[in-house]
Amino acid sequence: MIEQMSEHRYLTFALGKGRLANKTMELLEEIGITCEEMKDKNSRKLIFVNKELKLKFFLAKGPDVPTYVEYGAADIGVVGKDTILEENRRVYEVLDLGYGKCRMCVCGPESAAGLLRHHEMIRVATKYPNIAKDYFYNKKHQTVDIIKLNGSVELGPIVKLADVIVDIVETGSTLKENGLEVLEEICPLSARMIVNQVSMQMEPERIKKLITDIRGRLN
Ligand code: PRP
């Protein structure tokens, strides 16, 4: 009876809108999970259903994905490790999906290297204040002034708002084109699958099979 009920329950995925969601749907398609109505690129719809497989997908802003998963509005989420670290939600991180690879770094002009080395009181501009705080306070034991920005963080040192930035570096071209460089590496990043803690208890078979299938595909 319980088995039957769980077969009828929808499993809901929250995906970070954009490239990450597209990559994830490509990967899911390889293990036989498709969602035809999601393929219409002109659609402004945010929620999509596959009735046969009893799956729902919704597109959320990346930083909100761990929130939906923690509260159980989604059973499963796909989001960057940067967001997982920054949001620090109570979710299980179950799989490194391997794509969306980049690095979280401290960057700035070459001249700022000495300020870091000597643990000077510096200003750090970032979209990721929690990651920056954890790195400077807990790992480096350096007191800094953290300034939250919402994007185009590379502007910070150029317009003298900050000495350095904490930001994602993928190809390094944004830094290069703005006369900045990587000064310290904080951690590697990539897309991860996260799972709601209660969903994991309620639907262990379905979720574990999904993880196994994806892992098999990635290998
Ligand atoms: C990200 C990141 C860097 C850039 C790094 O910004 O914040 O600015 O990409 O990529 P690169 O090393 O390949 O140049 P995003 O494009 O997400 O926009 P944002 O500045 O609004 O955050």
Side-chain angles (χ1 to χ4, degrees), residues 76-148:
I76 295 168
V78 174
V79 71
K81 179 69 178 175
D82 51 314
T83 304
I84 296 175
L85 292 171
E86 183 61 24
E87 296 299 318
N88 201 21
R89 293 282 175 180
R90 273 169 302 179
V91 296
Y92 293 134
E93 185 188 320
V94 296
L95 202 54
D96 183 344
L97 296 167
Y99 46 82
K101 271 203 168 89
C102 48
R103 304 179 288 158
M104 185 64 75
C105 297
V106 181
C107 312
E110 198 194 344
S111 58
L115 302 174
L116 289 170
R117 236 185 349 260
H118 301 122
H119 283 218
E120 302 267 356
M121 172 74 193
I122 51 170
R123 289 206 286 193
V124 181
T126 185
K127 254 165 88 171
Y128 302 92
N130 291 327
I131 294 176
K133 241 179 259 172
D134 180 60
Y135 180 70
F136 281 104
Y137 294 176
N138 301 333
K139 298 212 175 75
K140 291 202 67 185
H141 307 291
Q142 178 172 1
T143 310
V144 298
D145 188 4
I146 291 166
I147 304 169
K148 161 90 200 249

Side-chain angles (χ1 to χ4, degrees), residues 1-12 49-56 75 202-203 206:
M1 185 64 186
I2 293 174
E3 194 56 40
Q4 242 177 9
M5 279 173 61
S6 69
E7 270 184 28
H8 289 281
R9 187 180 169 274
Y10 271 89
L11 214 54
T12 302
V49 182
N50 179 326
K51 283 188 186 155
E52 290 73 44
L53 296 175
K54 289 277 184 288
L55 297 173
K56 271 185 204 157
D75 301 290
M202 303 291 285
E203 300 268 2
R206 244 173 129 193

Side-chain angles (χ1 to χ4, degrees), residues 19 102 127-128 150-154 165-176:
R19 257 192 308 171
C102 48
K127 254 165 88 171
Y128 302 92
N150 294 295
S152 304
V153 177
E154 291 82 359
I165 61 174
V166 164
D167 201 16
I168 290 173
V169 179
E170 193 182 348
T171 61
S173 47
T174 311
L175 289 178
K176 203 165 167 208

